[in-house]
Amino acid sequence: MPYRPVIGLEIHVQLKTKTKMFCSCPNLTDEAEPNIAICPVCTGQPGVLPVVNKQALEMAILAAQALSCKIAEKSKFDRKNYFYPDLPKGYQISQYDMPIATDGYLEIQIPKGRRELARIGITRVHLEEDAAKSFHDKKGETLVDYNRSSTPLIEIVTEPDFESPAEAKVFLQELRTIMRYLGISDADMEKGQLRCDANISLQKLDENERPIYETLFAKTEIKNLNSFKSVERALEYEIQRQTKLWEKDKPPRIQSTRGWNETEGVTEEQRIKEEEQDYRYFPEPDIPVMDLGEIISKSKADLPELPYAKRQRFKEEYGFSNEAVKFLASDPAWADYAENVVSELKEWLASMPDVEGTADEIYEENKKKLAKLVGGWLSSKLQGVLTDKGIDIRDLKIEPENFAEFISLIYTNKISSTAAQKILAIMVEKGKDPSQIMEDEELGQMSDVKELEELVIDVVKNNPDQASQYRAGKETLIQFFVGVVMKSTEGKADPNVVKVLLEKQLKKKK
Ligand code: ZN
Ligand code: MN
């Protein structure tokens, strides 16, 4: 491709603080009844004074640390002036020249693309207040809900380091995961907890794929991106649109803002920025310059293991597959659950008769097989059941100890995988212990070979046509016979054992 996209992101994340940014009103979710969490401060009445929410400061600093930023010892707030009904004071308290943090980066892994690993520079992280929410009703009136007015946001600005829409999407997903790890936001894009504007220009490349022009062309900013998918789609659309302009020798030379139209799948021009809009920033006179030293040292100790490090450790320590790791590490609740299951399994293994060594040594010997079972049953089967039933892992009734016992039943061949699925469904529903369910529902593996052999003889006898076809060389019919036997045992037999018995029986001369 003779053009390479140059993409940067500007992201706002809603913080899950108890109270708002500058007053003691509760920080409610959007589902709350309108205008119940308001006071003179967050509705901009004259003569009131803002008080900085310390929890918001701590959260912002934690985020900046997770993004490897330089955190300012001293930081201040500024007023950003503009007029809109959702901004009762006529200005937003934000940060201009002394933000909380600057110069960070985040490394992301790109599943497919020109490069596997991208290091995305973080220009700055600052703290500010959100605007209220306005609605337009059928009568053409505009209604404003001030519950959101002055709730805390962090704004994260990246360098224009993304080379493709896919990179931007992966970055946002990783950022969401980090916010969840830190416990500072659920960062759900559909709920507006993570909002993103993207800016993009194209760079023309020479035959060695090096940019022809040293400076970047005017960027186009895209707004109204409400999902990871729409970020990717809007950027892809914009690349096509700008490529056509370049081909006509008319690359964008003026900055402009375009809105993403999800239904039409196009970006539409909103306004052309002749000059940067003048917000007449000036220091917020009611909030003194802040000294962050104390919070910075406290927050260093609070920083949890981050997703990237967790993925590495899950691979090395537990031997989970890449797929399982990707899923489990995407949510700290799943990651913790998996670790608890493994530690229960270690104890169980150590308590088995005829084993020698420490729990860790014994686990190490069985690691590969157990990792495959635990990783697979958690990331595909359990996740599937929970998704179907709309249950969050945090509300799961199965204790890690019981899930470990469940894995041990499979590991020791006490239950077949069909029976295991039935048991799992019951465990999710009732949270009972798996051995009990196995007995109650008679789902234990049929290990009596004599009994199975008799069944196999019957099945072969009752299907003479298939049996003679099999003997005539159509060996794929073995699957048919296995299916019939498994069905009549209600999934309680080991399909591998059944197959061996069937082959023995079918190959007998009549
Ligand atoms: Zn308030
Ligand atoms: Mn902002």
Side-chain angles (χ1 to χ4, degrees):
M1 188 171 86
Y3 303 99
R4 179 175 300 150
V6 180
I7 301 166
L9 299 177
E10 190 187 299
I11 300 141
H12 287 89
V13 180
Q14 281 184 346
L15 297 178
K16 286 205 281 197
T17 52
K18 284 198 190 73
T19 56
K20 292 190 180 184
M21 190 64 235
F22 300 113
C23 60
S24 54
C25 289
N27 182 8
L28 301 179
T29 59
D30 280 348
E31 287 99 60
E33 192 187 320
N35 296 313
I36 55 166
I38 56 174
C39 76
V41 177
C42 56
T43 53
Q45 308 302 312
V48 295
L49 286 174
V51 177
V52 176
N53 180 340
K54 197 176 166 211
Q55 194 188 18
L57 270 181
E58 288 167 353
M59 286 180 169
I61 288 170
L62 209 53
Q65 256 162 0
L67 297 170
S68 306
C69 289
K70 288 195 188 104
I71 301 176
E73 288 284 330
K74 285 185 190 306
S75 180
K76 76 169 165 68
F77 283 102
D78 300 273
R79 289 188 183 179
K80 179 180 178 179
N81 298 280
Y82 65 93
F83 182 75
Y84 206 73
D86 65 13
L87 193 70
K89 294 194 290 289
Y91 59 85
Q92 176 193 31
I93 304 180
S94 179
Q95 298 195 283
Y96 187 54
D97 55 352
M98 287 170 71
I100 297 263
T102 53
D103 297 318
Y105 66 89
L106 180 62
E107 275 180 355
I108 47 168
Q109 267 166 317
I110 322 297
K112 44 190 177 230
R114 198 178 68 93
R115 50 182 183 178
E116 271 176 31
L117 194 74
R119 187 184 168 109
I120 306 300
I122 307 291
T123 317
R124 60 187 276 148
V125 176
H126 76 239
L127 198 52
E128 61 186 30
E129 58 179 339
D130 206 347
K133 223 175 171 185
S134 43
F135 303 88
H136 306 284
D137 71 3
K138 284 173 197 144
K139 284 183 272 178
E141 293 169 331
T142 296
L143 302 164
V144 187
D145 173 10
Y146 287 97
N147 283 348
R148 203 180 71 180
S149 176
S150 202
T151 54
L153 292 179
I154 45 171
E155 182 178 314
I156 300 165
V157 182
T158 79
E159 291 292 305
D161 286 344
F162 302 96
E163 282 187 2
S164 71
E167 289 187 6
K169 186 176 85 173
V170 171
F171 176 90
L172 288 169
Q173 287 169 334
E174 184 74 352
L175 191 67
R176 175 184 64 178
T177 308
I178 292 173
M179 296 300 129
R180 291 180 178 178
Y181 268 57
L182 300 177
I184 65 177
S185 177
D186 295 331
D188 189 330
M189 275 195 94
E190 274 82 0
K191 289 185 182 158
Q193 295 158 343
L194 190 157
R195 297 170 227 155
C196 167
D197 296 335
N199 58 70
I200 174 169
S201 63
L202 297 185
Q203 223 170 16
K204 192 169 184 162
L205 305 178
D206 64 18
E207 57 272 23
N208 298 316
E209 299 211 341
R210 272 191 289 260
I212 294 175
Y213 305 103
E214 257 179 49
T215 52
L216 294 177
F217 275 69
K219 60 187 179 190
T220 302
E221 194 176 9
I222 315 172
K223 295 198 173 281
N224 196 30
L225 303 168
N226 300 322
S227 66
F228 296 125
K229 189 101 208 126
S230 63
V231 171
E232 197 177 23
R233 281 179 70 206
L235 285 168
E236 269 159 12
Y237 174 85
E238 201 49 31
I239 291 169
Q240 285 179 14
R241 192 185 70 86
Q242 292 189 20
T243 302
K244 280 180 200 148
L245 292 174
W246 272 91
E247 280 163 358
K248 283 188 229 158
D249 209 21
K250 283 179 182 161
R253 288 181 193 277
I254 309 166
Q255 276 195 34
S256 64
T257 302
R258 300 178 72 87
W260 171 243
N261 182 329
E262 180 77 37
T263 353
E264 305 284 324
V266 298
T267 62
E268 293 159 339
E269 188 164 291
Q270 289 185 332
R271 64 187 143 100
I272 302 238
K273 276 188 186 166
E274 296 284 346
E275 265 170 79
E276 192 72 35
Q277 191 180 340
D278 186 4
Y279 291 116
R280 296 175 294 118
Y281 278 100
F282 65 84
E284 165 60 59
D286 294 333
I287 303 173
V289 171
M290 299 172 288
D291 212 322
L292 302 180
E294 205 179 306
I295 305 180
I296 297 170
S297 42
K298 181 185 173 289
S299 111
K300 272 193 184 128
D302 287 350
L303 203 65
E305 179 180 42
L306 292 168
Y308 179 76
K310 193 171 305 263
R311 283 192 284 262
Q312 290 299 111
R313 188 169 63 80
F314 270 32
K315 262 185 248 177
E316 284 159 25
E317 193 174 328
Y318 304 127
F320 289 138
S321 70
N322 283 342
E323 251 170 55
V325 161
K326 199 177 162 205
F327 169 73
L328 294 172
S330 69
D331 183 336
W334 275 100
D336 289 348
Y337 193 79
E339 290 205 270
N340 290 333
V341 168
V342 171
S343 95
E344 294 288 345
L345 272 170
K346 274 186 190 169
E347 276 182 39
W348 166 77
L349 274 174
S351 71
M352 297 270 281
D354 307 325
V355 289
E356 275 172 40
T358 67
D360 286 320
E361 284 163 8
I362 302 159
Y363 179 77
E364 206 59 34
E365 277 169 37
N366 297 275
K367 186 162 119 174
K368 224 173 158 186
K369 209 174 152 197
L370 280 172
K372 209 174 154 200
L373 281 178
V374 176
W377 280 91
L378 284 177
S379 68
S380 84
K381 302 283 171 37
L382 181 62
Q383 189 216 355
V385 177
L386 295 192
T387 310
D388 282 350
K389 296 189 181 293
I391 300 173
D392 190 283
I393 178 74
R394 288 160 190 84
D395 305 322
L396 182 65
K397 285 185 194 156
I398 310 173
E399 292 298 322
E401 190 189 341
N402 281 344
F403 197 87
E405 187 183 338
F406 168 74
I407 294 293
S408 76
L409 291 175
I410 306 171
Y411 189 70
T412 52
N413 283 320
K414 291 211 174 67
I415 51 175
S416 69
S417 90
T418 325
Q421 300 204 33
K422 286 184 194 164
I423 292 174
L424 183 64
I426 298 170
M427 286 171 80
V428 168
E429 206 69 50
K430 300 182 179 152
K432 280 200 292 184
D433 115 35
S435 308
Q436 193 62 47
I437 300 172
M438 181 182 85
E439 273 171 38
D440 291 352
E441 309 282 326
E442 295 178 353
L443 285 166
Q445 188 106 271
M446 258 175 89
S447 46
D448 188 344
V449 176
K450 254 233 139 60
E451 205 182 325
L452 262 181
E453 226 163 11
E454 278 164 27
L455 193 63
V456 162
I457 294 171
D458 275 353
V459 167
V460 172
K461 207 194 290 171
N462 294 337
N463 294 281
D465 292 350
Q466 284 84 350
S468 54
Q469 282 178 43
Y470 176 87
R471 290 186 184 112
K474 201 172 171 193
E475 295 200 343
T476 51
L477 274 172
I478 194 72
Q479 287 313 323
F480 160 79
F481 285 105
V482 172
V484 176
V485 175
M486 290 304 290
K487 206 173 163 197
S488 59
T489 64
E490 290 172 333
K492 276 182 270 177
D494 180 338
N496 293 319
V497 175
V498 170
K499 197 174 165 210
V500 171
L501 292 175
L502 274 164
E503 279 167 346
K504 208 171 107 195
Q505 188 61 30
L506 283 162
K507 276 171 186 155
K508 270 188 191 160
K509 285 265 155 34
K510 280 203 116 179

